Amino acid sequence: MLAWLLEPWPWYVSGPMIGLTVPLLLLLTGKNLGISSSLRHIAAACNPRTRLPYLTQEYNWRDHSWNLIFVAGVIIGAFIGNFLLSTEPVTFLPPQYATLPGMVVLFVGGILIGFGTRYADGCTSGHTIMGISALSLSSLIATVFFFVGGLLATWLILPWLLPLLGLG
Amino acid sequence: MRNRLLTLLVGIYFGLVLVKSQVVSWYQIREMFLFNDPYMYLVITSAIAVGVVSVFLIRRWRPRTIEGEVIEIKQKPLHRGMVIGGILFGMGWAITGTCPGPIYAQIGSGSLVTFVTFLGALTGIYLYAYLYPRLPHTWFGRLRTSPVSSS
């Protein structure tokens, strides 16, 4: 049992367990699963004097502080999963990303993630898992275009970008 | 207070599962978009299947939270951001091999370089916040008032 726990989990364990986050969060806290809005709350909290309407008008990040607590949990849970419940730590990123050009790529990609998830009003958690589970049309459309963007980048941009990093 | 503790616990559960399922790995995301490995598609599909059944049952039985609150399941209004923002996020997803959940999970797992992705994402938020008044939040062609939800 313990040996099995320490291995990477098969899809038929990990997939349903990710899906179970939806009812767990709803039944225990009444909240809809979502992660990317935390970036907005952090941006607003770090800039209390901003006049940008998206971060001020009709919006107080403190009303959404549960989301930041949830994120803190994700960080702790990932720490436990990687350091206490794995025989060998998971490799997350190729080492080539830990170079200056690699970090430029991560930064630009991060901008796309931040901007894109806010314009799309959700990410793979809020739309793909939570939204589709709620049979929401907007979440289904968003998810389709997440994959359109991902495939475009994978097949058109990464073939010349990754060799610049010495990858692939 | 109990609500906060429960939120933290479900967050810990989610972070743990993200790591143990390896969906936080750049390599898994790459294999998915290259169609080399069905693993991620099976994970996502089975996660959605469990989610769909759960939400269906919650809608039917209308249980309350353990604090006795009514459970509200939100739907986000459709606008063209789901298309344009969706494509941009998808590109960032493939380029960095991370989406927002895994950004936090990678940082928690000690992948310090992911902090750069996080700073980029915050920059993207400010960019969106700056452009927000000028960005169209309607569906194509038809005028439709759809306030951006702030869930």
Side-chain angles (χ1 to χ4, degrees), chain A residues 6-167:
Chain A
L6 296 173
E7 296 294 314
W9 295 346
W11 68 266
Y12 50 82
V13 174
S14 40
M17 283 187 76
I18 290 174
L20 271 180
T21 315
V22 169
L24 276 176
L25 203 57
L26 283 171
L27 293 170
L28 295 177
T29 72
K31 302 298 183 192
N32 289 235
L33 174 66
I35 287 273
S36 63
S37 53
S38 65
L39 294 164
R40 180 191 189 186
H41 310 325
I42 294 171
C46 289
N47 260 289
R49 287 165 200 277
T50 180
R51 289 200 193 148
L52 294 171
Y54 183 69
L55 300 177
T56 48
Q57 279 170 15
E58 300 171 23
Y59 169 75
N60 186 346
W61 66 270
R62 286 178 186 83
D63 300 338
H64 307 275
S65 56
W66 78 270
N67 199 249
L68 298 176
I69 298 171
F70 185 72
V71 160
V74 171
I75 294 173
I76 297 169
F79 180 89
I80 297 171
N82 193 43
F83 293 109
L84 306 179
L85 280 179
S86 296
T87 37
E88 47 189 282
V90 185
T91 318
F92 297 103
L93 282 166
Q96 286 87 340
Y97 276 94
T99 60
L100 187 62
M103 288 194 233
V104 172
V105 170
L106 286 183
F107 189 77
V108 174
I111 292 177
L112 290 169
I113 293 173
F115 183 89
T117 53
R118 285 305 77 215
Y119 198 10
D121 202 11
C123 63
T124 18
S125 304
H127 275 313
T128 308
I129 307 295
M130 180 64 220
I132 295 183
S133 294
L135 305 181
S136 156
L137 177 68
S138 58
S139 291
L140 182 65
I141 289 175
T143 299
V144 167
F145 285 98
F146 294 166
F147 277 89
V148 169
L151 290 171
L152 281 175
T154 299
W155 293 89
L156 298 180
I157 299 174
L158 291 182
W160 60 263
L161 187 66
L162 290 183
L164 292 180
L165 298 179
L167 258 171

Side-chain angles (χ1 to χ4, degrees), chain B residues 12-142:
Chain B
I12 290 175
Y13 168 86
F14 191 55
L16 184 80
V17 177
L18 285 181
V19 167
K20 289 308 292 180
S21 60
Q22 309 239 331
V23 302
V24 295
S25 159
W26 179 93
Y27 298 92
Q28 290 290 358
I29 306 301
R30 179 128 181 91
E31 294 296 291
M32 170 179 79
F33 283 130
L34 288 173
F35 300 113
N36 280 343
D37 188 345
Y39 178 79
M40 280 295 295
Y41 294 101
L42 292 166
V43 167
I44 293 173
T45 315
S46 56
I48 291 173
V50 168
V52 167
V53 172
S54 310
V55 173
F56 175 81
L57 293 177
I58 288 173
R59 277 178 171 151
R60 164 164 284 199
W61 293 335
R62 301 182 173 278
R64 297 198 168 223
T65 68
I66 59 168
E67 298 274 341
E69 293 163 17
V70 175
I71 296 176
E72 186 194 350
I73 291 163
K74 292 172 180 158
Q75 302 252 6
K76 293 171 177 174
L78 178 65
H79 61 78
R80 74 184 75 180
M82 273 92 197
V83 176
I84 303 165
I87 289 177
L88 293 175
F89 161 54
M91 296 174 97
W93 187 17
I95 289 171
T96 63
T98 36
C99 42
I103 287 180
Y104 295 115
Q106 286 189 357
I107 291 174
S109 305
S111 171
L112 293 180
V113 72
T114 306
F115 208 72
V116 177
T117 317
F118 174 73
L119 290 179
L122 276 189
T123 309
I125 299 286
Y126 287 120
L127 188 65
Y128 176 75
Y130 182 73
L131 295 173
Y132 174 69
R134 268 159 284 177
L135 286 171
H137 286 85
T138 53
W139 190 241
F140 299 96
R142 246 174 312 156

